[in-house]
Structures are given as structure tokens and as C-alpha cells.
Amino acid sequence: MEQHEAQKNEYNIIGTRPIRHDGEDKVTGRAQYGADISFPDQLYGKVLRSPHAHARILSIDTSKALAMPGVRAVTTAEDLPRLKDRMVAGEAGAENIRYVTERVLASDKALFEGHPIAAVAATDPWIAEEAVKAIEVKYEVLTAVTEVRDAMKDDTPPLHGELTTETLGEKSKKATNIVRHTRHKRGDPDKGFAEADLVIEREFETKTVHQGYIEPHNATALYRSDGQITLWTSTQAPFWVRRDLAELFDIPLSRIKVVPMEIGGGFGGKIAVYLEPLAILLSKKSGRPVKMIMTREEVFYASGPASGTVTRIKIGVKKDGTITAATAWMAYEAGAFPSNWAMVGSMCVLACYRLENLQIDAYDVLTNTSKVMAYRAPSSPQAMFGVESIIDEIAIKLDMDPLELRLKNAVQEGDRRADGPKFHRIGLKETIRAAMESEHYKSPLPSGANRSRGVASGFWFNAGMQSSATVGINMDGTANVTTGSVDIGGSRASMAIMAAEALGLTAEQVRPIVADTDSIGYTDVTGGSRTTFATGYAVYEACQDVIRQLKTRVAKLWDVQEDKVEWGDGAFHHVDNGKSPMSVGDLGPKLEATGGPVMGHGTVNPKGVGAGFGIHIADIEVDPDTGKVTILRYTAVQDVGQAIHPAYVEGQMQGGATQGIGWALNEEYIRDAEGRMLNPGFLDYRVPTALDVPDIETILVEVPNPGHPYGVRGVGETPIVPPMGTIHNAIARAIGLRMRSLPMSPPKVLHEILQRGQTVEAAAPVTS
Amino acid sequence: MKPLEYHAPTSLDEAISILKAEGSQAAALSGGTDLIIQNRARPLDLAHMVDIKRIPELNVLEYDAKNGLRLGAAVPCYKVAEYEPIVRLYPALAEGAELIGSIQIQSRATVGGNICNGSPAADTICALIVLSAICAIRGPDGNRDVPAVDFMVGPGETALKPGEILVEMRLPPPPAQSSNAYLRFIPRNEMDIAVVCAAANITMDDKGVTCTAATVAIGAVGPTPILVQAAGAVLTGAKLDAAAIAKAAKAASAAARPIDDHRGTVEFRTHVAGVLTRRTVELAAQRIKEDAK
């Protein structure tokens, strides 16, 4: 790892690499995941799912299933309250509770393959599986539409009869599959293009992709006779699960306790509820705990993948590389229910560039596919893929270095993002410069035929939102840190490091705890790259609370006024140096005698979020005979603010890059004409294996975020954004082909090569 | 999925009698790396699995210069890929065996199971075809031999009749100045199934100038693996120069009868069948040269 703007040893613990507190349990398999939960009297739940991507449900007969020995409960949409239209909080803006209900269990229409129709609880999973098959459903199969281009056509019947397009706050008259049209406009794009020396406009497409977390969704629910519900589940957002369930069942939050289990990956896909309400309904009916686990196929059919998209991007530049105008037209697959991902994409698409003249039009489009949910920097990869390709094309046409061109147009503090908001202190320029100065970028291009190098940039907002933390001081001066943030990417270690820094302890002296929803104050999702920033901020505040309280104790012990006691360098000092300094460790044993336990609280809703920018560099080789792309060398450069635990920052950058590489090269939902997925497993939905990616080198650029006491900026999402453009541009430079369509899988690349008329390279003589 | 009865017979006769008695409700279990997954993913409605790994005849692995190779149907792939005579004389077979799944899978999976699964994309079938393997079968009616090229009769279908077991594969000793190779194309570098695969077996004259015999087989490009006789014909008697090899590649592309599916297109498979033919012929020829040194 190279580190830029290396810290001047401002910190003692921050920036070190202690062993994670949850490491031993995870390495030995002792960590408790949702599948490990077990009760002596538990039942096993299975879901009957629609085999059709679009069908009217004419009847559901559960009598045969209910009559089977071992079957204890069957549930259908009839058991969920039928709620009136009401907007409730959702993961990307508000959503209508009626659609949440309909998504969880279909009542009238099955709107995607895998749409739950009914669920069964039985004494063993095999009985439950057989009982599901015994449920008789009559369908009237309807035409399925799974591609946004088709769904947008005037003559395509709308999925929901009543939905109209909302454009700039106004509703259309006619029902349609376009649920929202978002527009951002600045300056005069036509005038800007007229002033340009070079204008390039291209169309791009990407396919539906999945987060690919290894652990499938799971939920175990216990509905007690007193009406209290406990739910053990794998989620990124226990408080949101509680909220969604309270809305769905129309009951108070205090009746639901959500216990977040360890999570085997989420990447945005483990936020919404799927099995949770079904397990609760089945537990309510049977009076026993009900455990449900999805199969991999169910995860692919019926969880929340990322949108397939079509975008049309146009950029104009002067000869010197200055961008004069840009426009973007973008259509995003929403899945079967309204969502806002195109709107989010519209805020990302041009975020890296300083623009006077721009227009962005973004369309959220309903399709007969499972509702799209967040996936790591949701919507940004699809949006920026096209922009980054055109920027590269411009660099070639102007004979400019592609990073120089990006630097020339890069946004900085005070510039406005394309959709309006002003950037705070950001490190895009520092990141581009670090990439230009990197050993990788300065090294000669890879030698040999069909090889070259590509670069691209990436942006993610990063989020703030609400977090709570408590810090308790133990009798020996060590500390417990409790938060409501599920640990996906090493956040226990980060929380412990920040608390240790604040309290003058070592990371090992701090025990980080992830609490359930009954045991800590409200905390938003682990997502949006917000946890280290916002929950870390809450931990910092809780530590400050501890220090304020301890100061009183020190004053008491020293018999001085509180203003004579100062905190610094991990200890309390007497302002006149009249006393030996006291650490938190020294004070632990003295708490009982000076007033009792000390516990600090921190609650935040911070606004000083620091956006994240990255540049990736890839050297690749294309096999012109097969279209297969091999990555020879890969470097991820990113402004990470202050790296709290650099190993986990590097891990985030490597993980994001790897997921992006998969998205770039092979991952896609392949569907037949009826809208059924043909590759619902890891054999044919091809995430990269360890042999498909090289060691990903990382360069951490540290431009501290002034909005956080330790300069933290989210780091987890930005790194999935640049890989598609990076690899695309490298392919273009290696063999002169711009694919403009993801994934750039061997059959597609070979097709383009063959179309161009390139023949198989001559066979070399092998005999002499 | 319904409950399964597991049998682990130690003799061929016992295994055959269970398979015969239970008919379509029973299947022979070798490594199980295909069968168990298939029975779970799309239930085959099996009631009996007959584990054949404890039968001595199915665990034979021996080579001698006179009789060639005897490979028991239940020998795990890792042993095949490591067995010195196979690595030296039948490298195409070692290459196929070591491509099947991960190391863990190779410890269970067998060449016998690989071909009994009947997939035209099986990683060992092209090698067995070009190496002129004979499949020795025992059933209720006794023994019979089927050439590897005739073993698969359709996707998921083999020449095995109800109650029959594949006992071993017999490969003749390779002639002097010969070698062979197997390659497959997958979009990733591991953990995948061939989109196209090919094997070539080449014999050169004493001087190493002219090809005296050539066999090429391609897989995953039709309902069963294809022995490309036209490719062998253009190479036999030819110097292995670029033109001859290109002709063989073209013959392989012409012989391919692929379909469009989620793993590859007709265009891709047709083209790459030729590419892999060229590469396996080159590789086999290269090995002959290296062996001569």
C-alpha cells in the first residue's frame, strides 16, 4: 500500500491495524449467523413462488397442504392487513405501503418470477417443501416485460393499472410503466455543444446484476402469545426491518425486537424485508418459532438486484479538453414496484465533472422483475460507465492523457454537483494526481499484442443519517462500546479504534458490541458508506460524554475546580501541573468511590458528509480468438478521508473493485422470452473467482473530511464504480473496439471482433 | 426431496442386483458431484443411491506398455491427474481430470461419473474419445464393451442400459512419436463448465515431420461429443504447418452443431471449436517435440 499525505502521527491508534475483535469467531466458524439459530420446537418455513414473471392469480387452494401431516401453518396475502395508500420510509426514498405489502405476498397479480404467493411452516423442511408443492394456484399468464426499452413503449400494457408518470412533480394522465421522470438542467446545453470543437454522443446498456452475497436471506420469528415479536435475521438495518414490519402489520414498534445476526455479505441487498413478515405470520398462526432460509435460486429470483439500464450520454469539449456541455438520458429498471434508482443515478452520472451547461433526464421504469434494491454505490456504476467511456474516447481523439483530461475538468470544493448541491472539501484532484504519479501509471504499457491500459473515475455521495452509541467504562478502566450498526466490513474494529483514540486506550481494551433494537438507540442502516462516519461520530460523542463525566471525578479526586482539569494526550492533566496525570485506566477502579458507574451516550444526525472519489487503472489482455479478457494488473486509487483501519479500507477497495470486475466481464441476469431467469446459480451467474482477479493494488489518498472529528469519509461504495469504465476503456485501447454494453463477456467481445472481420490469427508452424 | 436409501455394496453383482431391482428409482453414486446436486436442484425422484466406490473392480488404476491403461470408473480425478503414466502418456486425460471443479471436488469426482453423467460438456470425454478408450460395462446380462465415442447417446443419456454399471475404461498404449492434449473454454479461470472443449491426439513419423495419425474431438457443441473425422483426415499425411492446422480448425467449426444458450452462442461455439482444435493440435505436436529432446 502507498499512502499519500501520510498522517503526521497525529493519532495513536487510528491508522493502525489491530486484529478485528470478531475475527476469531469468524475464522473458527463460531460466529452466529441466522442459519445457526435453533429452537427445540421450531418449525421450518418454505415459500410458494410464482413460476411466471407476470400472471393474474385466479385462485389459491391451500387445503391439501394444510392437511399434510407435519404442516402447522399456511399463510397467504389474506393474512396481511390490507392497508390504504400511505407513503412510508423506504431504502431510496418514500414508498407506498400498499406496494410493500403486495411485494411481500402477492394478492392479485404475480409481478415477477419468484413473487411469493404463499408460505408453509412444517416440522421439517422437507415436509414444508412438499406442502408448498401441494398448494394449487390457478394463474392467467400475462405477457412479461423485463427490458426497460420494451417497458417504456407506448403500447406495452402497464404493470399496475393505476400508476402514472411523475414528471417534475406533476402526474401524467395515462397509466404507464414510467414511474418517475427526473430532470436536472443548468445553463444552455445547446449553446455549450455549439461552442465545442468535438461532440460525442453514444448509447450504453447494462444488464441486471446481483450483489452476490454468499449468505442467503434468512429469518427466524417468534410470535409470542402476548403479542411480542422477536426476529433473528441477517440484515444491514435492524431498525429499518423493525420499522417496515411495524408498518406492514400496523403495530407499534415496541412490539417488535429485531436481533441482527452476523451477516454473510449484504452490499445493499439485505435491507428490505422478504422472509421476515412470512416467518412472523407463520409463527403467529402456529404459535411456534419459524425458521426460514432462502435457496440460492430464491435469492436470485426474488431478492433485490441492481437495475439493468440504457443510457445515452453526450459530451462536448474544446480542443484543450475543457468540457462545454453534457447531457444524459437514462432509463433504469425499477423491477415490479416503483423505485427511485434512476433518480439516484441522475445525481451521480456527471458528478466528477465541472459543468456550466448540462441536462439530465432519468426514468424509473417498471418491469416484471424483482424490485431493484441497493447494490454498493447504487445506480452510480451504470450511470458513470457511459460517461467514462466517452471521456476516454475524447482523450484519444484529442491525443490527451485520459487522467490529464479528467484533472482539467475535475470538480473541487465549492463546485456544484450536476444536480445542484455544492461539494464540501473533496479529494478528486488529489486522487487523479496520485493515480498519475503511481508506479503503475508511470510504468510502460504492457508489452505484447492485444494488451493495453484503461482508467476511469468513480463517485459516491456517502451518507450521514442517524446513529446512537453508548460507551461504558469498566472497573479496570477498559471500555465497552455498543452501537446499533451491523458489522459488515470490519466496523467493530473501527468503532473500537475510534473509542480507543478518544479515551487513550488500546484497541484491544475496547470491546465493541452490536446491539439489537431493544438495547440501543435508533440507528440507521449499515449502508451508504455511513457507518464509520456517522456511527463512528456517535461513538466519538459518547466518548466525549465519558470524558466530561470523568473530568468531574478527577476534579473530585484532586479536590480542585473542574476548570483546572484538562484532557489531552490520552490523560487528564492539572492545568498547573500540580498533579500526576490520570488516564481512563487509572480512573476505572476509582469510579465506585467517586459517584458510581460512568456511561457515555452519543447520538448524531451529522451533515458534514464527505463525498468519495476514486480512479482505477487496469492493464488487460484480450484473446482475439475467444474474446476473453485477462486482467494483468489492477490498481485502485481513492480519497478515503482518514483511514481508521487501513487494512479494512484496502479490503473495501479490493472488494469493490472485484465486484466491479465481475459486473464488467461476466455478471448478468439472463432471461428467456417469458421473463424467467436462466442462470439462477453461481455456476452460470459468474462472479469472479480468486483466479479471475489479480492482486488489487491500493493507493489510499487521505484528504480528511472536515465534517468529522477524525476526518472520516465513507470508503466502501466508491470502488465499485470505476471498474466497468476502466476495463471497457482498456479493451478499447487494446483492440480498438468500444463495447458500450455490459457485461463484456467472451461471446459478446468475440462477436464484435468477428463482425469487424478480424480473422483468427495465423497458426504458427509447430514442426520444423 | 424425499428420503433416500443409501446402499454401499462391495461387489459388482450386488450393485447390479440393487440397480436392476429398483429400476428408475435408483442411481449409481460415484463421486456424487453431479448426481447429488441434480437430485436436489431438480429432484430425480430417486429412492435409492447405490454407492459403487467400495467395489474393487471399479478402483483399478494400472498401466503397462503392452496393455495400456486400465482406469476404474470410481477412481477419483485427483488420482487420475497425478498418476505418472497418465501425465506422461495421456496428458489430455490428466488435463480433463484436473479441470473438474475444485481440489475438493476432484477428491470425490471420478472420470467414470463424469462420462456417465452424459453431458456433452464433460471434461474427460473428448480425451477418452481421441485416446480410443473402450468403456467396459457389466450388467445383468454380462459384460460388453463400448467405444468411448459411442458412450454418450444424447444430452444426459449414455449407452448404459438399466442395471448396467461402467466398470472401467481401457486405453491402448500410445504409439511412439505421439501425444495428445485437451483444452476447454470457460469465461472464468476456474469453477465452470466448458462452453466449448476439444482434444487432439497426434502421431508423427520417425523424423517428426509428417503426421501419420490424428484424432480430434470437440465437446459442448452438440447433443453429444463429436469425433471430427474430417479434421483427423486433413492432418493425417500432412506436415503440421499453419495451413494444415487451419484446415483442421475449419473442419472442427464445420462439424460443430451447437445451440444458443445462457453459456454461449452458436457463433461463439462454432468459432471457438476451431480455435481450440488448432490449439490442442499445436499443443500435442509441441509435446511430441519436447518428448523427443
Side-chain angles (χ1 to χ4, degrees):
Chain A
M1 180 203 68
E2 287 178 54
Q3 234 164 323
H4 281 252
E5 296 196 3
Q7 282 303 314
K8 326 90 210 172
N9 265 344
E10 192 182 323
Y11 299 118
N12 295 313
I13 313 295
I14 286 172
T16 64
R17 300 169 180 240
I19 292 171
R20 63 196 294 165
H21 300 68
D22 50 323
E24 149 88 25
D25 277 352
K26 284 182 176 163
V27 169
T28 57
R30 286 201 178 85
Q32 292 285 301
Y33 291 83
D36 296 320
I37 281 283
S38 190
F39 295 95
D41 61 340
Q42 81 188 6
L43 302 175
Y44 300 83
K46 291 279 177 186
V47 184
L48 172 68
R49 298 177 181 278
S50 169
H52 309 293
H54 197 188
R56 191 168 300 287
I57 301 165
L58 302 175
S59 66
I60 304 173
D61 181 356
T62 62
S63 54
K64 282 185 189 148
L66 263 172
M68 287 171 69
V71 172
R72 298 303 171 94
V74 179
T75 188
T76 64
E78 280 184 11
D79 299 321
L80 277 172
R82 290 289 111 188
L83 300 168
K84 293 212 170 67
D85 286 307
R86 180 163 50 91
M87 296 310 278
V88 297
E91 67 176 83
E95 56 186 327
N96 190 329
I97 187 65
R98 203 154 53 78
Y99 291 129
V100 183
T101 307
E102 206 45 53
R103 176 176 67 71
V104 165
L105 271 172
S107 66
D108 172 37
K109 272 170 95 180
L111 289 162
F112 58 94
E113 182 192 23
H115 200 161
I117 308 291
V120 174
T123 47
D124 81 42
W126 295 278
I127 295 175
E129 225 167 70
E130 295 299 319
V132 158
K133 288 183 209 154
I135 298 173
E136 289 167 2
V137 185
K138 288 206 177 79
Y139 297 100
E140 176 197 345
V141 179
L142 304 169
T143 306
V145 57
T146 58
E147 300 286 334
V148 288
R149 280 194 188 97
D150 299 333
M152 291 176 88
K153 285 177 189 156
D154 269 350
D155 54 352
T156 302
L159 265 67
H160 301 271
E162 77 273 14
L163 269 173
T164 55
T165 309
E166 187 177 328
T167 304
L168 313 173
E170 291 196 10
K171 299 261 189 191
S172 69
K173 294 213 171 67
K174 194 174 157 243
T176 159
N177 286 322
I178 302 168
V179 289
R180 181 177 292 94
H181 169 202
T182 306
R183 173 175 288 175
H184 305 290
K185 195 171 179 191
R186 184 188 305 160
D188 184 345
D190 289 339
K191 188 168 151 277
F193 287 127
E195 287 166 2
D197 296 313
L198 172 67
V199 177
I200 296 182
E201 180 173 19
R202 307 284 184 215
E203 189 165 300
F204 302 86
E205 71 166 352
T206 72
K207 295 291 188 185
T208 317
V209 296
H210 196 270
Q211 298 86 350
Y213 33 81
I214 299 301
E215 181 206 27
H217 293 263
N218 56 74
T220 303
L222 175 59
Y223 195 109
R224 291 183 175 78
S225 56
D226 65 359
Q228 288 297 124
I229 298 166
T230 307
L231 182 78
W232 296 263
T233 185
S234 173
T235 178
Q236 297 173 235
F239 285 87
W240 289 13
V241 167
R242 183 165 74 160
R243 174 198 72 201
D244 292 353
L245 294 171
E247 298 281 9
L248 272 169
F249 292 112
D250 205 16
I251 58 175
L253 289 165
S254 59
R255 271 182 56 194
I256 307 164
K257 169 173 157 180
V258 177
V259 183
M261 305 303 292
E262 293 298 342
I263 182 167
F267 312 108
K270 289 210 188 119
I271 300 175
V273 294
Y274 296 98
L275 296 176
E276 292 85 349
L278 308 183
I280 290 171
L281 286 172
L282 292 169
S283 179
K284 185 181 180 183
K285 286 194 155 187
S286 64
R288 286 164 63 165
V290 175
K291 178 173 179 172
M292 303 181 79
I293 302 176
M294 282 194 198
T295 62
R296 178 63 56 194
E297 290 75 13
E298 289 180 293
V299 172
F300 275 112
Y301 297 136
S303 63
S307 309
T309 64
V310 178
T311 60
R312 203 156 50 234
I313 313 286
K314 183 177 176 184
I315 298 176
V317 287
K318 291 275 199 196
K319 273 187 192 129
D320 70 353
T322 308
I323 299 176
T324 58
T327 57
W329 180 98
M330 14 197 339
Y332 275 55
E333 167 193 1
F337 299 96
S339 61
N340 308 307
W341 297 115
M343 184 184 77
V344 177
S346 76
M347 296 151 77
C348 302
V349 60
L350 293 166
C352 289
Y353 302 99
R354 194 174 198 169
L355 295 163
E356 305 282 333
N357 305 300
L358 66 92
Q359 183 169 328
I360 301 165
D361 290 281
Y363 300 85
D364 282 291
V365 184
L366 293 172
T367 47
N368 288 112
T369 58
S370 190
K371 190 189 174 198
V372 164
M373 299 288 179
Y375 177 18
R376 204 169 193 155
S379 298
S380 189
Q382 301 99 312
M384 292 193 63
F385 164 55
V387 171
E388 292 305 293
S389 168
I390 293 183
I391 292 289
D392 193 61
E393 217 179 326
I394 290 171
I396 290 173
K397 291 227 164 85
L398 296 181
D399 198 21
M400 269 183 90
D401 178 289
L403 288 178
E404 192 68 54
L405 176 62
R406 285 179 173 83
L407 186 62
K408 190 175 184 73
N409 293 287
V411 286
Q412 60 184 18
E413 185 174 4
D415 288 340
R416 284 196 178 281
R417 204 168 67 206
D419 56 309
K422 220 175 229 183
F423 281 114
H424 303 298
R425 179 77 175 94
I426 50 172
L428 176 57
K429 288 190 168 176
E430 288 84 347
T431 303
I432 297 172
R433 284 195 198 99
M436 293 171 88
E437 287 158 17
S438 67
E439 189 274 321
H440 184 173
Y441 200 66
K442 283 183 165 170
S443 69
L445 287 176
S447 59
N450 306 307
R451 292 179 167 202
S452 196
R453 177 174 297 158
V455 297
S457 42
F459 158 80
W460 183 245
F461 313 91
N462 297 326
M465 306 200 273
Q466 305 171 81
S467 285
S468 305
T470 65
V471 174
I473 302 301
N474 298 319
M475 280 192 276
D476 61 355
T478 60
N480 304 323
V481 172
T482 307
T483 73
S485 288
V486 170
D487 183 356
I488 286 194
S491 60
R492 282 188 184 88
S494 306
M495 298 309 143
I497 287 173
M498 286 184 274
E501 186 71 46
L503 297 173
L505 299 172
T506 66
E508 294 74 19
Q509 287 174 316
V510 180
R511 289 312 299 177
I513 294 136
V514 177
D516 62 55
T517 54
D518 276 7
S519 311
I520 184 75
Y522 180 82
T523 298
D524 279 311
V525 62
T526 293
S529 298
R530 64 172 288 278
T531 303
T532 309
F533 170 74
T535 305
Y537 207 145
V539 168
Y540 173 85
E541 288 295 343
C543 292
Q544 301 315 303
D545 188 17
V546 165
I547 287 168
R548 277 192 296 276
Q549 295 177 47
L550 290 178
K551 197 185 239 186
T552 311
R553 308 298 177 92
V554 175
K556 199 180 265 180
L557 285 166
W558 285 345
D559 196 18
V560 299
Q561 292 294 309
E562 257 183 66
D563 60 3
K564 296 287 179 199
V565 182
E566 264 185 1
W567 172 257
D569 261 347
F572 291 99
H573 304 269
H574 191 276
V575 287
D576 306 324
N577 291 323
K579 301 278 183 189
S580 302
M582 289 191 83
S583 66
V584 174
D586 297 330
L587 283 161
K590 300 186 194 317
L591 295 181
E592 185 179 1
T594 55
V598 164
M599 190 163 185
H601 297 264
T603 55
V604 298
N605 189 8
K607 300 299 172 204
V609 177
F613 291 89
I615 296 281
H616 289 193
I617 308 164
D619 294 358
I620 62 105
E621 177 176 343
V622 183
D623 180 343
D625 287 345
T626 64
K628 185 167 172 173
V629 174
T630 301
I631 299 168
L632 307 168
R633 186 176 179 186
Y634 200 100
T635 302
V637 191
Q638 190 175 323
D639 170 20
V640 300
Q642 169 67 49
I644 299 299
H645 192 309
Y648 299 147
V649 172
E650 291 156 16
Q652 289 287 346
M653 290 165 66
Q654 291 164 331
T658 302
Q659 286 188 311
I661 288 167
W663 197 334
L665 292 180
N666 279 306
E667 291 182 37
E668 63 176 314
Y669 274 52
I670 304 169
R671 298 187 175 103
D672 67 13
E674 282 76 46
R676 295 196 191 98
M677 188 181 184
L678 296 171
N679 58 334
F682 282 139
L683 176 60
D684 290 311
Y685 182 91
R686 295 188 175 86
V687 299
T689 72
L691 293 177
D692 299 313
V693 282
D695 271 346
I696 292 168
E697 298 163 49
T698 56
I699 297 175
L700 310 190
V701 181
E702 295 192 299
V703 178
N705 171 19
H708 187 279
Y710 292 136
V712 170
R713 217 178 264 285
V715 299
E717 293 177 284
T718 301
I720 199 177
V721 186
M724 302 75 173
T726 301
I727 294 169
H728 177 271
N729 297 339
I731 293 171
R733 286 168 182 263
I735 59 169
L737 276 178
R738 287 209 174 258
M739 296 296 299
R740 300 193 185 100
S741 169
L742 298 182
M744 297 174 284
S745 57
K748 277 166 78 179
V749 174
L750 183 67
H751 174 76
E752 294 301 325
I753 290 171
L754 295 176
Q755 286 292 302
R756 197 172 58 174
Q758 186 162 326
T759 48
V760 179
E761 75 191 49
V766 289
T767 51
S768 50
Chain B
M1 201 173 87
K2 60 188 180 190
L4 270 169
E5 197 168 332
Y6 171 79
H7 307 263
T10 52
S11 79
L12 263 174
D13 290 342
E14 194 186 345
I16 290 164
S17 73
I18 302 169
L19 287 171
K20 193 184 170 195
E22 304 301 341
S24 64
Q25 294 263 299
L29 171 80
S30 182
T33 57
D34 285 316
L35 184 68
I36 289 173
I37 289 165
Q38 285 164 4
N39 196 45
R40 196 168 55 193
R42 39 192 159 91
L44 304 170
D45 274 331
L46 291 176
H48 301 269
M49 279 199 189
V50 184
D51 189 340
I52 54 170
K53 287 193 287 295
R54 297 183 195 181
I55 302 170
E57 291 92 325
L58 273 74
N59 285 290
V60 172
L61 179 59
E62 55 186 46
Y63 173 80
D64 67 69
K66 188 163 158 280
N67 298 306
L69 179 74
R70 286 181 66 202
L71 169 58
V75 174
C77 285
Y78 86 94
K79 279 192 183 163
V80 174
E82 286 176 1
Y83 188 56
E84 192 276 336
I86 294 182
V87 174
R88 182 162 44 89
L89 300 169
Y90 309 99
L93 182 58
E95 281 163 338
E98 72 181 1
L99 280 175
I100 296 172
S102 59
I103 287 169
Q104 293 91 328
I105 297 288
Q106 286 157 24
S107 302
R108 299 295 293 181
T110 63
V111 173
N114 188 234
I115 68 169
C116 287
N117 185 46
S119 165
D123 276 313
T124 57
I125 188 65
C126 286
L128 292 171
I129 290 172
V130 300
L131 295 169
S132 306
I134 299 293
C135 302
I137 294 168
R138 167 97 67 96
D141 302 328
N143 298 325
R144 64 188 183 107
D145 287 349
V146 173
V149 67
D150 298 326
F151 189 76
M152 291 188 188
V153 297
E157 288 172 36
T158 67
L160 290 176
K161 293 178 194 150
E164 284 191 329
I165 287 178
L166 172 66
V167 179
E168 66 174 21
M169 288 142 281
R170 289 195 297 267
L171 281 66
Q177 285 283 75
S178 77
S179 194
N180 49 85
Y182 170 74
L183 289 171
R184 72 171 179 190
F185 180 86
I186 56 172
R188 290 183 294 197
N189 292 314
E190 256 299 351
M191 309 299 287
D192 221 324
I193 288 178
V195 180
V196 186
C197 55
N201 188 11
I202 301 292
T203 308
M204 301 296 286
D205 66 5
D206 292 346
K207 297 184 190 106
V209 175
T210 305
C211 174
T212 57
T215 325
V216 170
I218 53 179
V221 288
T224 58
I226 297 167
L227 172 66
V228 189
Q229 276 161 338
V234 297
L235 294 171
T236 305
K239 290 184 175 161
L240 287 193
D241 55 11
I245 294 173
K247 265 190 214 164
K250 213 171 164 188
S253 288
R257 294 282 176 272
I259 52 166
D260 274 322
D261 69 8
H262 56 279
R263 296 204 173 118
T265 57
V266 168
E267 174 193 57
F268 181 84
R269 287 178 156 135
T270 304
H271 182 82
V272 175
V275 171
L276 294 186
T277 295
R278 166 165 61 77
R279 289 179 180 177
T280 49
V281 169
E282 287 173 358
L283 195 52
Q286 183 65 33
R287 285 176 178 158
I288 297 168
K289 272 170 73 180
E290 278 164 14
D291 288 346
K293 275 177 197 166

